[in-house]
Amino acid sequence: MHKFICYDKYLWKIWCSFSSLKLPIIKRGIKMSEVSKEKLEKVMQPILDWQTEFEQTKEYAQLLDATKEISGSIIYTFAKVQYTEFSRDAKKWTAGSLEEVLVDYFPAEFILAADDFKQIEQVLEAYFTFLEMTNKIKNAPTLLKRVKKVAPEMIERAANPVNWSPAKKAEMEAVIKTSQPEAPTAKAPVRRMTNRRPALPVKQQPVLSTK
């Protein structure tokens, strides 16, 4: 199944400044906090910087080209949900919050073909390896282990439309509909036109009498 969307390399930067409105964040029906544009930009700026650095590593180079194209979106989405849902910046990510983001949020909301959800695991494994090697967060090894543990459940849940949000269902149905080839329509037989005129009747010659 073909990957449904291709995220632009710098799309997540635009998301940071999408709106100046304060966004109420709801977690299981409970209003947790309000996140302003300014606060979100401050929290996400290290993620953008780390992404640039990550793209220069051998871990990133080993990813497939198709996976590289969506790596920024995967990492940005993971970090953003960690903050908006759990009030955690990168230094405070936990294995528990990671599991909830991967098992609950990504299958429900992330617009990606189920067959391609393996790429989320690959990107995050490479990313946390990079964070561990550069000592950017202290618990990177713990997060790496949890990614490997919960990835199969994430992939399984993503394959079941029951776990999709209404918004994701609508998006996926629209993409599937537009990606299906149109059925060939029956064509009426074409009659060949010809420039030939009907042959003129042959004049019968008078028969001469031999008498």
Side-chain angles (χ1 to χ4, degrees):
M1 194 173 187
H2 185 66
K3 183 164 68 272
F4 289 141
I5 55 174
C6 176
Y7 288 91
D8 183 82
K9 185 176 178 182
Y10 300 104
L11 179 59
W12 61 96
K13 293 184 179 180
I14 299 174
W15 289 353
C16 279
S17 55
F18 177 75
S19 172
S20 59
L21 299 176
K22 291 188 175 182
L23 308 174
I25 305 304
I26 308 297
K27 176 66 176 176
R28 295 186 176 88
I30 301 174
K31 184 176 180 181
M32 294 181 63
S33 61
E34 288 190 346
V35 181
S36 68
K37 168 192 168 184
E38 292 75 16
K39 179 63 176 176
L40 184 60
E41 286 180 342
K42 182 177 179 181
V43 169
M44 299 306 298
Q45 188 56 51
I47 306 302
L48 301 178
D49 296 339
W50 294 353
Q51 175 70 23
T52 302
E53 189 176 343
F54 172 55
E55 291 177 0
Q56 309 304 316
T57 65
K58 71 173 184 178
E59 287 75 24
Y60 179 84
Q62 290 171 350
L63 298 173
L64 296 176
D65 289 342
T67 306
K68 291 175 182 177
E69 289 179 1
I70 60 172
S71 65
S73 178
I74 291 170
I75 293 167
Y76 183 89
T77 300
F78 173 81
K80 183 178 179 182
V81 176
Q82 282 276 6
Y83 180 68
T84 57
E85 293 292 308
F86 303 100
S87 299
R88 294 183 181 278
D89 59 27
K91 301 289 185 180
K92 298 177 182 178
W93 292 343
T94 67
S97 63
L98 176 147
E99 181 169 344
E100 290 206 48
V101 173
L102 294 191
V103 175
D104 293 337
Y105 182 87
F106 271 95
E109 303 291 348
F110 200 73
I111 311 297
L112 190 68
D115 292 347
D116 293 328
F117 256 70
K118 179 71 176 177
Q119 295 180 74
I120 297 175
E121 176 187 7
Q122 294 167 348
V123 167
L124 292 180
E125 284 185 1
Y127 187 63
F128 289 133
T129 299
F130 154 72
L131 295 181
E132 178 183 5
M133 293 178 64
T134 55
N135 199 31
K136 295 190 182 300
I137 59 176
K138 294 181 180 180
N139 64 338
T142 301
L143 299 179
L144 181 58
K145 289 179 182 178
R146 187 61 64 94
V147 169
K148 294 178 179 180
K149 179 180 178 181
V150 304
E153 183 179 359
M154 173 189 68
I155 295 169
E156 181 179 358
R157 287 175 60 82
N160 190 346
V162 171
N163 300 314
W164 300 351
S165 70
K168 178 172 179 175
K169 284 181 181 178
E171 287 282 347
M172 298 292 271
E173 288 172 0
V175 173
I176 291 173
K177 184 177 180 180
T178 56
S179 64
Q180 289 177 339
E182 294 184 5
T185 56
K187 294 184 179 180
V190 178
R191 298 184 64 181
R192 288 183 173 274
M193 299 297 293
T194 173
N195 291 326
R196 284 198 217 165
R197 296 182 181 182
L200 296 175
V202 178
K203 290 184 179 181
Q204 193 157 8
Q205 299 295 325
V207 178
L208 299 176
S209 175
T210 58
K211 293 180 182 182

